[in-house]
């Protein structure tokens, strides 16, 4: 496809006063690649994700993103207008709690259509047709299009949030515990759906999760974090089947066997 | 400007002190320079409750001079409580001439209507605004809405119109219909019926908006583009009425429904009382017009 990465992250650090959020994280993310960031709570996964998605400014380090014109742009040097534009066109952000990523008081159709209207779509019929299409792709019935997400179950809300993020055809999606708080059968369907969408659309994604099974299903590559540092990284299967770092070994051996 | 010799000598001309007027005029000038942009200002306590036009009164007090002729309307009418008391207020504290004729007024303070009689260059229309932020009910955080204005992120405004069409099959917003001013700022035209929106577009009169409780002033200078937001397949439309005014037979004006009795009797009459009276003086009669003229003033 291309021999240049989509996102280059180098020596990214975020400190909260004297506390470490994440420390000296570097990696490249390639188009169409899914990277899982795993670790226990408090290990800096979410801080890293927030820094990468420019929701937080890092204390030091750089991240550059390859724009659609092929030029690399330094994320933290962009104006706020450019960053917000990127956020609603070329990027997506799937929150753990769908209520954070959805507008709970407007209908499902408007939730999906908002990004289209934000980039200048002004034809109601077309917006609605696109919303119907996306709802069906995330397995929400068409007759729910005018219902508010408040009337949806947790799994449906999460699928709606995914549709809302993907409608503008982003190239990079950030996901923060996308299956957190869902029961296992719903989780399985959501993961199946996500895997299908990521492959079909050729999305690159950074998935933060504490669930190694999610990481194994979704990602090709993973990074294990502890106390803000990356302790191990590599191909997902390699890391999970043959963990090198003591902490990763502990993590892998802690998986509950049914 | 010196204090006028009136029987309430303790008040400055037009009630507000000169420093306050100066502050408000600066806000007005900034508003005129950036059409549609909400300028914060240090709104004062006025001798009336919030919601009764404290913003409009402060704007009027800051721009009124001894030679001005003031008209005050409330929902189009010159003879309702709010209009009568604000008119009396300025007559007392500024000793200015007052009128109900749209054409002879230099300043028209209005609550929720634009007069039917076309405004001319040199006239100033002062709106009383309850909620200046058009995005308020879509995004409650003021920090966020200000950012959205600054970055021209107005997709959310269309989400509201989308919801209207999804629920009602058409854009059901009938008042406070959002407009885009001079291709830049999205503005709340105050709760005027959308019937009046086209009158704002390239109006020769200066339009000033004052929100007292919310402490914001904004403006539309004369001959400014004011475009109502819509969808390509659901274009902006104004209200239409099946019948003419019952008193003066006027068509293509905004009508109020008036209940006549307890048996479902009602009539539709001009909401602009001055316009209606003028027409009746000229001899136009609606089907419910009384035989003898009885002046409403």
């Amino acid at each position: 496809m291309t021999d240049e990465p989509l996102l280059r992250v180098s020596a990214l650090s975020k400190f909260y006063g004297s506390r470490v959020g994440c420390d000296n994280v570097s990696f490249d993310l390639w188009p169409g690649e899914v990277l899982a960031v795993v670790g226990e709570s408090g290990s800096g996964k979410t801080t890293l994700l927030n820094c990468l998605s420019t929701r937080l400014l890092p204390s030091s380090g750089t991240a550059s993103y390859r724009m659609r014109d092929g030029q690399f742009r330094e994320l933290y040097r962009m104006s706020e207008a450019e960053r917000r534009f990127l956020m609603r066109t070329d990027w997506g952000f799937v929150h753990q709690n769908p209520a954070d990523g959805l507008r709970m008081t407007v209908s499902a159709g408007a939730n999906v259509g908002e990004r289209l209207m934000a980039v200048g779509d002004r034809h109601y019929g077309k917006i609605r047709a696109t919303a119907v299409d996306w709802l069906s792709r995330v397995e929400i019935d068409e007759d729910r299009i005018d219902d508010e997400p408040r009337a949806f179950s947790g799994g449906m809300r999460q699928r709606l949030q995914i549709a809302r993020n993907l409608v503008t055809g982003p190239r990079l999606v950030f996901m923060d515990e996308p299956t957190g708080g869902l029961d296992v059968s719903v989780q399985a369907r959501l993961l199946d759906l996500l895997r299908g969408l990521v492959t079909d659309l050729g999305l690159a994604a950074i998935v933060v999760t504490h669930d190694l099974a999610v990481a194994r299903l979704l990602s090709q590559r993973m990074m294990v974090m502890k106390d803000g540092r990356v302790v191990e990284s590599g191909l997902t299967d390699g890391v999970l089947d043959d963990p090198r770092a003591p902490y990763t070994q502990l993590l892998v051996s802690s998986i509950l066997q049914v | 400007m010196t204090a006028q010799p009136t029987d309430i000598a303790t008040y400055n001309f037009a009630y507000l002190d000169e420093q306050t007027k100066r502050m408000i005029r600066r806000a007005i000038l900034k508003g005129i320079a950036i059409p549609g942009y909400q300028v914060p200002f240090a709104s004062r306590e006025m001798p009336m409750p919030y919601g009764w036009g404290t913003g409009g009164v402060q704007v009027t007090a800051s721009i009124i001079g001894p030679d001005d002729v003031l008209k005050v309307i409330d929902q189009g009418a010159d003879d309702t409580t709010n209009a009568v008391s604000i008119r009396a207020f300025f007559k007392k504290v500024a000793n200015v001439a007052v009128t109900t004729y749209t054409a002879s007024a230099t300043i028209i303070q209005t609550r929720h209507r634009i007069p039917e009689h076309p405004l001319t260059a040199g006239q100033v229309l002062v709106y009383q605004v309850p909620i200046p932020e058009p995005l308020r009910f879509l995004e409650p955080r003021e920090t966020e809405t200000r950012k959205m204005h600054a970055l021209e992120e107005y997709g959310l405004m269309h989400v509201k119109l989308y919801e209207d069409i999804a629920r009602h099959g058409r854009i059901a917003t009938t008042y406070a219909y959002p407009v885009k001013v001079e291709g830049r700022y999205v503005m709340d035209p105050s709760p005027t019926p959308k019937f009046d929106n086209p009158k704002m577009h390239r109006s020769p009169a200066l339009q000033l908006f004052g929100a007292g409780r919310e402490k914001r002033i904004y403006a539309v200078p004369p001959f400014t583009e004011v475009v109502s937001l819509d969808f390509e397949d659901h274009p902006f439309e104004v209200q239409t009425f099946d019948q003419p005014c019952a008193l003066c037979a006027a068509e293509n004006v905004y009508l109020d429904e008036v209940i006549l009795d307890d048996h479902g009797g009602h009539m539709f009459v001009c909401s602009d009382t001055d316009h209606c009276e003028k027409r009746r003086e000229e001899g136009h009669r609606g089907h419910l017009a009384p035989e003898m003229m009885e002046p409403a003033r």
Side-chain angles (χ1 to χ4, degrees):
Chain A
M1 205 159 28
T2 171
D3 47 5
E4 273 189 306
L6 192 61
L7 183 70
R8 276 187 187 140
V9 181
S10 136
L12 201 70
S13 302
K14 172 73 187 175
F15 301 101
Y16 300 102
S18 58
R19 272 177 233 288
V20 179
C22 63
D23 189 14
N24 200 19
V25 177
S26 305
F27 67 90
D28 286 347
L29 183 76
W30 299 77
E33 181 185 41
V34 179
L35 172 73
V37 182
V38 301
E40 58 194 11
S41 15
S43 61
K45 309 181 299 267
T46 300
T47 297
L48 176 66
L49 194 73
N50 284 339
C51 284
L52 293 175
S53 59
T54 71
R55 293 153 57 84
L56 263 183
L57 279 186
S59 310
S60 65
T62 60
S64 40
Y65 178 71
R66 188 157 55 80
M67 309 292 280
R68 287 192 188 231
D69 61 4
Q71 297 296 310
F72 275 95
R73 292 288 307 276
E74 171 61 60
L75 289 182
Y76 309 118
R77 296 233 175 115
M78 282 186 182
S79 70
E80 187 171 13
E82 288 175 304
R83 270 188 271 133
R84 286 172 69 116
F85 185 73
L86 206 58
M87 275 303 273
R88 60 172 197 262
T89 53
D90 222 17
W91 290 3
F93 196 107
V94 177
H95 295 260
Q96 175 174 9
N97 179 2
D100 295 339
L102 291 173
R103 289 196 192 277
M104 298 305 277
T105 53
V106 305
S107 69
N111 263 294
V112 177
E114 179 178 346
R115 275 178 162 228
L116 296 173
M117 295 182 248
V119 295
D121 229 321
R122 292 289 177 265
H123 193 285
Y124 175 81
K126 286 181 195 157
I127 293 168
R128 195 162 171 91
T130 313
V132 168
D133 177 44
W134 268 100
L135 288 181
S136 72
R137 288 171 85 162
V138 297
E139 298 165 13
I140 296 176
D141 287 337
E142 189 181 333
D143 61 3
R144 301 301 300 270
I145 188 167
D146 292 330
D147 291 349
E148 290 177 8
R150 280 191 292 206
F152 285 9
S153 69
M156 279 174 79
R157 287 182 191 183
Q158 197 57 288
R159 293 199 300 266
L160 179 63
Q161 194 191 180
I162 290 163
R164 171 181 160 91
N165 273 288
L166 297 187
V167 67
T168 47
R171 294 191 300 158
L172 174 59
V173 180
F174 301 97
M175 297 186 210
D176 188 3
E177 305 275 10
T179 58
L182 300 176
D183 62 59
V184 274
S185 57
V186 176
Q187 254 189 42
R189 272 179 60 204
L190 186 73
L191 284 173
D192 202 35
L193 175 77
L194 268 179
R195 201 154 62 152
L197 286 173
V198 165
T199 334
D200 290 351
L201 303 171
L203 285 176
I206 298 178
V207 184
V208 159
T209 179
H210 62 266
D211 188 337
L212 294 178
V214 170
R216 188 186 293 266
L217 264 173
L218 281 182
S219 68
Q220 288 101 38
R221 215 150 52 92
M222 70 189 281
M223 282 193 331
V224 183
M225 288 185 76
K226 176 158 174 50
D227 299 331
R229 288 180 189 81
V230 176
V231 294
E232 186 164 356
S233 64
L235 294 177
T236 303
D237 290 342
V239 173
L240 290 179
D241 293 341
D242 181 19
R244 302 288 169 91
Y247 176 70
T248 319
Q249 290 170 358
L250 179 75
L251 209 60
V252 171
S253 65
S254 309
I255 299 176
L256 286 177
Q257 301 295 328
V258 187
Chain B
M1 200 174 291
T2 54
Q4 296 292 302
T6 64
D7 52 341
I8 43 162
T10 44
Y11 286 112
N12 188 32
F13 175 80
Y15 187 75
L16 292 175
D17 61 276
E18 291 304 314
Q19 282 304 313
T20 298
K21 287 191 209 168
R22 195 181 146 114
M23 172 271 293
I24 294 174
R25 285 177 200 140
R26 288 171 68 115
I28 293 172
L29 285 175
K30 182 168 179 181
I32 293 170
I34 318 172
Y37 171 73
Q38 299 167 44
V39 186
F41 79 110
S43 177
R44 297 292 192 254
E45 290 287 329
M46 296 305 282
M48 58 202 290
Y50 286 132
W52 286 59
T54 51
V57 164
Q58 289 180 76
V59 169
T60 303
S62 308
I63 59 170
I64 203 165
D67 302 328
D68 274 314
V69 182
L70 180 70
K71 170 183 163 82
V72 184
I73 51 175
D74 175 0
Q75 309 275 14
D78 292 281
D79 54 0
T80 51
T81 317
N82 202 211
V84 170
S85 41
I86 291 175
R87 203 160 54 226
F89 175 76
F90 280 110
K91 205 171 171 183
K92 194 168 183 181
V93 297
N95 202 21
V96 292
V98 294
T99 182
T100 59
Y101 294 122
T102 302
S104 47
T106 55
I107 299 175
I108 304 169
Q109 182 172 331
T110 173
R111 174 168 176 265
H112 314 347
R113 271 313 307 280
I114 298 174
E116 304 290 358
H117 190 276
L119 300 177
T120 53
Q123 286 186 309
V124 184
L125 190 58
V126 178
Y127 295 76
Q128 304 171 191
V129 182
I131 294 165
E133 179 52 73
L135 301 162
R136 172 68 51 86
F137 294 108
L138 303 157
E139 174 54 66
R141 288 167 297 176
E142 179 81 12
T143 46
E144 183 67 13
T145 53
R146 303 197 95 193
K147 201 167 271 177
M148 290 161 83
H149 282 294
L151 301 176
E152 223 180 324
E153 284 181 8
Y154 290 132
L156 201 50
M157 210 68 250
H158 275 86
V159 170
K160 180 188 188 308
L161 303 180
Y162 172 96
E163 284 288 276
D164 266 2
I165 304 173
R167 275 195 202 141
H168 309 287
R170 66 198 156 81
I171 298 179
T173 306
T174 50
Y175 65 96
Y177 192 103
V179 294
K180 195 163 208 180
V181 182
E182 204 65 10
R184 177 58 179 84
Y185 283 95
V186 166
M187 183 185 94
D188 183 345
S190 85
T192 50
K194 66 177 174 182
F195 182 88
D196 286 339
N197 274 17
K199 293 182 200 160
M200 307 179 75
H201 178 61
R202 301 192 60 79
S203 167
L206 170 64
Q207 304 174 73
L208 303 176
F209 299 76
R213 178 178 44 209
E214 302 285 329
K215 301 175 172 56
R216 295 287 184 274
I217 283 173
Y218 49 104
V220 175
F223 305 106
T224 301
E225 303 274 323
V226 179
V227 180
S228 304
L229 301 182
D230 60 2
F231 283 103
E232 290 161 14
D233 47 347
H234 285 268
F236 172 77
E237 283 169 353
V238 297
Q239 293 102 327
T240 53
F241 298 89
D242 308 333
Q243 43 190 310
C245 170
L247 296 180
C248 74
E251 288 180 13
N252 301 320
V253 295
Y254 193 73
L255 301 181
D256 281 340
E257 184 181 8
V258 177
I259 306 292
L260 296 175
D261 52 38
D262 289 346
H263 311 293
H266 63 145
M267 65 173 180
F268 286 93
V269 294
C270 291
S271 109
D272 186 336
T273 53
D274 167 56
H275 184 74
C276 199
E277 279 163 25
K278 264 282 173 49
R279 280 181 55 86
R280 276 181 280 158
E281 277 168 25
E282 289 164 7
H284 298 279
R285 314 293 277 182
H287 68 282
L288 287 177
E291 287 308 309
M292 291 292 291
M293 274 286 292
E294 38 177 330
R297 259 161 289 142

